[in-house]
Amino acid sequence: MKNFSDLTEKELLALAIALEEEDSRIYDEFAHGLADSYPDTAKLFRAMASEEDGHRHRLLELFRTRFGDHIPLIRRQDVKGFVERKPVWLARPLGLDTVRRQAELMEAETKRFYARAAQRSQDVSIRQLLGDLAEEERRHEAKAERLEARFVSPDVREREHESERRLFVLQIIQPGLAGLMDGSVSTLAPLFAAAFATQDSHETFLVGLAASIGAGISMGFAEALSDNGSLTGRGSPWLRGVVCGAMTTLGGLGHALPYLIPSFWTATAVAIAVVAVELAVIAWIRNRYMDTPLLSAAFQVVVGGLLVFGTGILIGSA
């Protein structure tokens, strides 16, 4: 790996060509990844990719004039000082805010590179082009804002954020809510059956722990194998499985952990209070993200929870 200060002018131009090619391809990947869900923002990134490709052609023409047709293979990872870029463009689906933040970082880094490269160059033509590109990168942010105003109107932005919200609900909220409901409700029966059958905090905790982890594993695999997300738009099956499994386990552990308290009746009182909080949270999430009226959501969740809770107590007391 070389220091930036050790690069020759030939290497500086070769690096600039590689940077512009990489940026252009990344913006093109952004456009491709956003095309289905956010078509107007995808147009913005196609325009930015075209801008970077134009810079690359100007650099190639100057390089050919000064140094010939062979371009040394020198990349950003071969030079000290560049920030490592997280490959967010490989993730699907792409998030609007994540992509825009990444684009801002890319533009800022490229601007610094051209400013420093122009200062180091002694060749007039190279120094002029690098200085021009540095100035263009300074204006690029303003141009990006103009492009965004052209392609992403307030109405379009509102629609895109609504689309992003729907994707978030499909990919995170729905599997998480299903897991939380299963973990919070279905584990009530075995936990409280064990509690009232044994009246022993330690034994009850072990039953609750086993039920929570077992339900989490089962729900996680069930969600991951339900569909691959290619037609439903629900995203990565393994992400959904992890979210669903983790929330299932969390929902069950919520009312199992109080049985770490040695006093059985104190632990039971705390566990019942935790169950009430869990059911309230589930009702709120259904109201907030699933557009279920709060009273209806609360009624459905509370009735289901009470039925399972009562079943556990009846079986444990038999």
Side-chain angles (χ1 to χ4, degrees), residues 16 22 28 41 51 93-94 101 115 131 150 155 172 176 190 208 217 219 235 242 247 249 260 281-282 318:
E22 180 183 8
D28 190 62
T41 299
E51 284 281 316
L94 292 175
R101 282 196 300 270
R150 174 184 172 189
D155 290 341
I172 303 296
I217 294 172
M219 285 291 290
V242 169
M247 294 306 294
T249 302
L260 290 172
V281 169
I282 291 171

Side-chain angles (χ1 to χ4, degrees), residues 53-99:
D53 197 48
H55 292 175
R56 182 177 67 90
H57 280 289
R58 290 162 63 186
L59 288 163
L60 283 169
E61 290 175 5
L62 179 58
F63 187 95
R64 187 179 293 111
T65 301
R66 290 285 289 104
F67 303 110
D69 291 331
H70 174 70
I71 303 175
L73 179 60
I74 180 167
R75 302 154 300 177
R76 64 194 323 277
Q77 59 264 38
D78 301 325
V79 180
K80 293 180 181 178
F82 282 100
V83 178
E84 182 181 357
R85 289 177 178 172
K86 296 181 180 180
V88 298
W89 49 90
L90 297 180
R92 294 293 187 276
L94 292 175
L96 284 178
D97 292 336
T98 300
V99 166

Side-chain angles (χ1 to χ4, degrees), residues 128-147:
Q128 179 179 349
L129 177 58
L130 294 178
D132 289 345
L133 292 178
E135 186 60 33
E136 288 183 24
E137 292 295 340
R138 291 190 185 95
R139 297 194 299 266
H140 210 158
E141 184 176 358
K143 185 163 187 177
E145 291 176 357
R146 292 196 299 272
L147 288 171

Side-chain angles (χ1 to χ4, degrees), residues 91-163:
R92 294 293 187 276
L94 292 175
L96 284 178
D97 292 336
T98 300
V99 166
R100 284 170 178 158
R101 282 196 300 270
Q102 181 70 26
E104 289 174 2
L105 291 174
M106 289 167 58
E107 292 300 324
E109 185 180 54
T110 304
K111 178 180 65 177
R112 288 195 300 271
F113 164 75
Y114 280 130
R116 289 187 59 197
Q119 292 173 359
R120 289 199 61 253
S121 178
Q122 302 300 315
D123 184 281
V124 174
S125 58
I126 295 176
R127 188 184 184 97
Q128 179 179 349
L129 177 58
L130 294 178
D132 289 345
L133 292 178
E135 186 60 33
E136 288 183 24
E137 292 295 340
R138 291 190 185 95
R139 297 194 299 266
H140 210 158
E141 184 176 358
K143 185 163 187 177
E145 291 176 357
R146 292 196 299 272
L147 288 171
E148 188 167 0
R150 174 184 172 189
F151 293 122
V152 190
S153 65
D155 290 341
V156 168
R157 186 185 297 277
E158 184 176 347
R159 288 200 306 271
E160 288 187 345
H161 279 293
E162 180 59 29
S163 177

Side-chain angles (χ1 to χ4, degrees), residues 12-66:
L12 280 174
L13 276 184
L15 178 58
I17 292 168
L19 291 176
E20 292 291 356
E21 182 175 8
E22 180 183 8
D23 287 357
S24 177
R25 295 188 66 180
I26 289 174
Y27 287 145
D28 190 62
E29 285 295 318
F30 286 166
H32 179 74
L34 295 170
D36 292 337
S37 301
Y38 313 109
D40 293 282
T41 299
K43 293 178 183 177
L44 163 67
F45 281 108
R46 288 196 188 96
M48 293 179 70
S50 179
E51 284 281 316
E52 303 299 344
D53 197 48
H55 292 175
R56 182 177 67 90
H57 280 289
R58 290 162 63 186
L59 288 163
L60 283 169
E61 290 175 5
L62 179 58
F63 187 95
R64 187 179 293 111
T65 301
R66 290 285 289 104

Side-chain angles (χ1 to χ4, degrees), residues 16 26 64 76 78 83 118 128 160 189 194 209 213 238 243 245 254 258 275 283 299-301 311 315 317:
I26 289 174
R64 187 179 293 111
R76 64 194 323 277
D78 301 325
V83 178
Q128 179 179 349
E160 288 187 345
L209 182 64
I213 296 176
W238 293 111
V243 170
V275 170
F299 178 77
Q300 294 168 4
V301 171
T311 299
I315 294 174
S317 301

Side-chain angles (χ1 to χ4, degrees), residues 155-272:
D155 290 341
V156 168
R157 186 185 297 277
E158 184 176 347
R159 288 200 306 271
E160 288 187 345
H161 279 293
E162 180 59 29
S163 177
E164 190 172 44
R165 180 182 181 274
R166 287 197 298 269
L167 289 175
F168 177 70
V169 169
L170 279 174
Q171 297 162 10
I172 303 296
I173 297 297
Q174 280 190 354
L177 180 60
L180 185 60
M181 290 180 64
D182 186 83
S184 298
V185 177
S186 68
T187 58
L188 288 177
L191 180 76
F192 285 102
F196 282 86
T198 64
Q199 295 194 8
D200 182 281
S201 288
H202 180 67
E203 297 294 332
T204 302
F205 171 72
L206 292 179
V207 171
L209 182 64
S212 301
I213 296 176
I217 294 172
S218 175
M219 285 291 290
F221 273 99
E223 179 63 37
L225 297 175
S226 61
D227 69 76
N228 63 11
S230 59
L231 296 178
T232 60
R234 298 179 68 209
S236 166
W238 293 111
L239 174 61
R240 297 195 325 269
V242 169
V243 170
C244 185
M247 294 306 294
T248 302
T249 302
L250 182 63
L253 286 177
H255 43 260
L257 289 175
Y259 283 98
L260 290 172
I261 300 172
S263 173
F264 171 75
W265 291 110
T266 301
T268 300
V270 174
I272 292 173

